[in-house]
Amino acid sequence: MSVPSASGAQEPDGPADVLLPGMTVRWEAGRYLIGAVQGSTVHLVALDEHGLDAQVLVFVLVAAGDFAVLDADGRPREPEVLPDLSVLDRLDKHQRETVQSWKEHVLEVLTGRPVHVRDGRFTPRPGYDPATTTRGARYALKASELAAAGLTGSVATVQRKCLAYEKEGLLGLIDQRWLRTSSPHGRCDKRLVDLVLQERTPGGESAGTLSRLRRRVRIALRRAHPDEFEELWPARSTFYDLLQRLGISVASEERAARRDGPDEEPADGPFHPPVVSLLGERVQIDSTGLDVIARGDDGRPAQVELTYGVDNLSRCLAAGMIVPKHSGRNKGKGSKRRGGRGTKALDASLLLAQMMAPLPARPGWAPLALAENSDLPFTEMLAQDPRMAGAAARPVIRPKTVVVDNAKIFKAGHFKDACETLGIEVEPARERTAVDKQIIERTNASIKSGFSQFVAGYTGNSLGRRGKNVEHEPLLSLNELQDLWHEWVVTEWQNTEHEGLRSPIYPAMVLTPNQMYAAAVATEGVPRPASPKENRKLLLRTQRIVTRDGIKIDNRTYVSSRIRDFRHRHTGIKGQGQRWRIYFNPYVPQRVWLYDHTVEGDPARDPWVPFDFKYQHLIHDDWTQYLWEQAALLVSEEEDREGTEEAIARAVDKMLDRGRRGSGTDSSPAPASAAAFVPQTLEITEAAVNPYAGITPAAPGSVRPAPLLNVAAKDLFPGQRGPGPTEDYADADGESALQQEPAASPGRRRRSPAARPHGLDGAPGDIFRGMRAEQARPPSEPRDSGDAPPGPNQQET
């Protein structure tokens, strides 16, 4: 049926949320008649005097702020409200079956359709035919049937259910008591709850007991509502139940007292994780003990600590470093502690370098551990960085913001300078607020449960879980443990589905970290990896003067073939004089790098000049700064003084040899993985050059004796002294041995070898000059008369 519109036309019937031709709508402060609807386009005819006809899209029309469907009087028509059936999800199985049963009984009363009949062709049962019985009679008949079946349902109840179904549909059959939810504060008045939250321990005030809080709330309530105090004030047990519902305890009051100010959010407040949409937008970094004992550089058991980073968006473990941790010792009273070890600021800086470079796969890893066989976008990553060929299935992530705790390594200037160099923002978490790094705190437990407890040397997180003979088990070396952790990351963690990772296209699909990384790369591209030269600037930096001996760092001398280029040369930087910037890595101390800033921008010259350790040829394995300190401590204890570089280098080699052999009696060398601890970081340095490389060491018995001398031994060091140095002496061949005067001067008398003075007068080469001539003479040629026979002290070879 249609009603006349304001323009005299017949307005079609229909709900307000359906657009039909002939309806009057309000749009852009004007009234329009819908002339036609074609697909997603609506043709509007202006009804106002100065209005213009329009043709707009449906979603543009209905998205307008003043859009409404008007009735015949020009008033907006309310759209039909659809029932919210989501409340059915709050019912259990028994409650849903009860609602469905009432629906069938109500339909039989209203329409005559028998219970359990689904199709539209049915015959009403006797007494339920609407054409021959009244509704009241049907109410009474249904109530009697329910009572006979042992179900509750009076005539009034049946009537109420039928009227509610006609008005609200299926929702009218739900018992509203099922939908009731308990108040978070029980039956206490809301005004009392507000006062409790108001009188909590203010910022800066010392915490007290809950009885003090109760006294404060009682005084505040009496002042605020004196007339209703008796009604609002609860019993003692009810008040403490209210505090428990609100999460107020003695511990929470203490945390509130330790916060910096009243405007800061309490430490036990709700956690709202920031929304991230890009790779590396937020990367959380933390250090945690692995609860594992490994074999240290010196072959002794050592506790280890893991420092790693996790990307918030993809949950990828982008990098990880395992370092030993133990305290050092003092050489004497008041002396500096030496030999200590733990995670340092350099470890955190090298962790950033490791995130931005591919991880080389280790020999023996499964083929699925390679990036080319994983879910990572290998083709795009290989085009971006050729080092991805043969790399492990761990993605490259370039951090934009790193979230760290308040540990000293993250407060150090070296870590901050490294982040500044890479353009990374450092966001420190609040103290004693674990929710600021909730992702990595939860990941700590996952690593210990999925990795640590399956590794040899697992100690557990408490003494109650630790075995008796853990230190006597075959322990893994630090390098073996590091490789094992990387293998677990690329094979297990990166390929395990995570409930927090959902597909952006199909939200119901749970993804792995590698799959989530691939989905993010499809939208934003592959992160650019850092080059080795860029990562060299993440190393420790110092300033040194290049002397004729080289560069001195930590009691070690480094030499190079380009010493003359920088010796006594001014850097050109005000205040630095001749001190050049030197970059070094304590994990690879075989080589340091001098940075020549004067050739920056010259593509033909490399500003990085390598300097190698002077006594590297004495050490036959990889070594670290920590091992050097341990060897220096042993040498100083044995010699009761600071040892020389050569002595410390030999001590380092002995420690490495003992570490390879282990504590047993087997003298066979251990595999390469048992060498000194070198963290698996980006290759930011090269192997030091051995100046003795290629030279075969001499074996006993292979050295040839010296050739025959052409003069008698008694004639080399005679007992009598001859003439002064101004006289010219001749050797056995008649050649001059002293070049103070011409050897061939006419008229000069030659002296015999027996007249030589004490000592050698000529150059060392002159002694063997005749010997070379002797060896060059053919064997058949006889000696001349000038050749003296061998003396009694000479020997033939």
Side-chain angles (χ1 to χ4, degrees), residues 577-781:
Q578 299 179 6
R579 297 189 299 271
W580 294 86
R581 280 186 292 174
I582 308 297
Y583 293 85
F584 64 98
N585 185 0
Y587 293 127
V588 191
Q590 295 92 330
R591 167 168 290 186
V592 299
W593 299 88
L594 183 147
Y595 186 74
D596 187 6
H597 59 275
T598 60
V599 298
E600 287 182 345
D602 187 357
R605 302 180 64 183
D606 188 2
W608 296 96
V609 182
F611 279 69
D612 298 321
F613 179 43
K614 183 177 181 180
Y615 295 100
Q616 177 59 36
H617 61 281
L618 299 178
I619 307 175
H620 301 90
D621 275 323
D622 295 330
W623 53 286
T624 62
Q625 172 70 26
Y626 167 73
L627 199 61
W628 176 272
E629 294 174 356
Q630 293 290 324
L633 186 61
L634 293 176
V635 172
S636 63
E637 291 177 351
E638 293 176 357
E639 302 181 0
D640 199 19
R641 61 183 179 85
E642 295 293 333
T644 62
E645 295 182 54
E646 183 177 358
I648 298 176
R650 296 184 184 277
V652 169
D653 188 64
K654 291 181 180 178
M655 295 180 66
L656 290 173
D657 183 68
R658 184 172 65 249
R660 288 193 306 269
R661 298 176 186 272
S663 58
T665 59
D666 186 10
S667 60
S668 59
S673 59
F677 165 59
V678 179
Q680 301 294 341
T681 59
L682 181 65
E683 290 296 333
I684 52 181
T685 184
E686 300 175 4
V689 177
N690 185 4
Y692 299 93
I695 300 179
T696 304
S702 62
V703 180
R704 299 180 58 186
L708 174 66
L709 296 178
N710 58 343
V711 292
K714 64 183 180 62
D715 297 333
L716 294 177
F717 306 99
Q720 70 180 59
R721 183 177 300 274
T726 56
E727 296 183 5
D728 186 19
Y729 298 98
D731 56 13
D733 292 334
E735 296 181 357
S736 174
L738 187 66
Q739 300 297 329
Q740 292 182 354
E741 295 183 7
S745 299
R748 299 289 294 180
R749 182 175 57 87
R750 299 180 181 274
R751 295 184 180 271
S752 63
R756 289 180 180 273
H758 180 71
L760 297 179
D761 299 326
D766 298 335
I767 301 177
F768 301 96
R769 186 177 305 162
M771 178 192 68
R772 288 193 295 268
E774 177 76 13
Q775 294 176 349
R777 184 184 300 113
S780 59
E781 183 178 349

Side-chain angles (χ1 to χ4, degrees), residues 175-202:
D175 192 340
Q176 296 301 315
R177 293 174 296 181
W178 298 341
L179 304 178
R180 291 178 183 174
T181 56
S182 60
S183 173
H185 44 78
R187 296 184 179 180
C188 296
D189 194 273
K190 184 64 168 60
R191 291 170 290 181
L192 175 64
V193 177
D194 295 338
L195 286 177
V196 171
L197 298 177
Q198 179 181 345
E199 295 297 327
R200 290 189 62 183
T201 302

Side-chain angles (χ1 to χ4, degrees), residues 25 36 81 91 157 219 375 424 496 498 512 593 596 666 679 695 713 723:
V25 297
V81 179
L91 306 179
T157 302
I219 295 174
D375 294 326
I424 300 175
T496 302
H498 195 290
T512 65
W593 299 88
D596 187 6
D666 186 10
I695 300 179

